[in-house]
Amino acid sequence: MAEAPRLDVPGAVTAPGASAPSHTDAPFTPGPRPPAAAPGATDRPAARGADAATGRVTADAAATGPAATTPDRASGGRARAGVRVVPAWLWGVPPVVVLALVFLYPLALVVQQSLTPENGGGAFDAYASVFASRGFREALGTTVWLAVGATVGCLVLGFALALVIAFVPFPGAKGVAKFIDVFLSFPSFLITLALLFIYGTVGMANGVWSDLTGAADGPFHFLATPWGVLLAEITYFTPFVMRPLLAAFSQLDTAQLEVASSLGARPARIVRRVILPEALPALAAGGSLVLVMCLNEFGIVLFTGAKDVTTLPMLVYGKAILESDYSAACVVAVVNIAISVGLFGLYRVVSKRAGA
């Protein structure tokens, strides 16, 4: 007769022929069910335990992973076989060599020529001779006052035109602003040539005057004077002031203008108290650039035909080409370079402070 199954503990059935559980095995006693967790609650201790375990595993993996066997990055990869590390300073050698051959070597020749007069003498005899000459002093004075006058004229005219373009709505304002960018690429002699067509001896203005009055000659002859050179430089260099001004005006908060206008401030007061302080850095940067460029301007003075106007670049041209006095020409060139480099350094300082 088959043996009936034995029931040793509640809920546990032993098959026939199987050994009964040992007395050391604790019987299964169903206990009370734990209370349900509140909605949104998490088992924080268990989570922390899991994170800790995960952290230990991660740390162990990091200690034994590829990073533990990779060479130190601070060594620049020198441990990698077959890779040659090029020193960083070596990459700067080619541009320095090109700069030395193209610019520094000719400049050194100019300085050397100024210190070695062709007729012999001391190293600074040519400097003493040039500085004592009346022509050099007049050329230096003419260069300085033309550069300063043109800079002031460009600042005033450029500020007024930039105000109109930026704050006075009129059709084509954006087109005019874009034309200013194109104007910056024009050569200086092109503007002088246009002024000759208008105000020259046989220009349009004198022609119209002769047709209206019957006179043989017109009244416009100022273009061959220093005032004509000043007009040409102001006409050509004004966009170099307007460009940074327009950029500064585009960053100006229009809410300040609206608040000032709502408080009853007149346009002149708004310009003086609100717009001008914001435009001062751009004015300083543009004015410094124009001053440097006017000191070195050669084409405008040459194309106006102003024979009585001699600037430092014109003096260099006269000494080297017309008189073949290369030592004196190099002396004037060195002086012009020194003034230009000093003003360019000032321009860089002002531009950095202005954020240009």
Side-chain angles (χ1 to χ4, degrees), residues 270-333:
I270 294 176
V271 171
R272 186 175 66 254
R273 301 297 297 273
V274 180
I275 298 178
L276 185 58
E278 297 292 334
L280 284 178
L283 282 172
S288 301
L289 178 61
V290 169
L291 183 62
V292 173
M293 298 177 70
C294 287
L295 284 173
N296 300 305
E297 183 54 42
F298 175 74
I300 289 179
V301 182
L302 182 65
F303 271 79
T304 53
K307 298 180 180 180
D308 297 332
V309 179
T310 303
T311 60
L312 290 180
M314 288 295 297
L315 186 61
V316 173
Y317 173 79
K319 292 290 186 182
I321 305 301
L322 302 180
E323 302 178 15
S324 299
D325 189 356
Y326 295 106
S327 298
C330 290
V331 169
V332 178

Side-chain angles (χ1 to χ4, degrees), residues 108-153:
L109 288 179
V110 172
V111 176
Q112 180 185 5
Q113 184 66 31
S114 68
L115 296 174
T116 55
E118 297 179 353
N119 299 328
F124 295 97
D125 288 351
Y127 283 87
S129 176
V130 170
F131 291 166
S133 64
R134 180 180 178 183
F136 171 78
R137 294 194 299 269
E138 291 180 353
L140 180 61
T142 302
T143 303
V144 171
W145 89 260
L146 279 176
V148 173
T151 301
V152 173

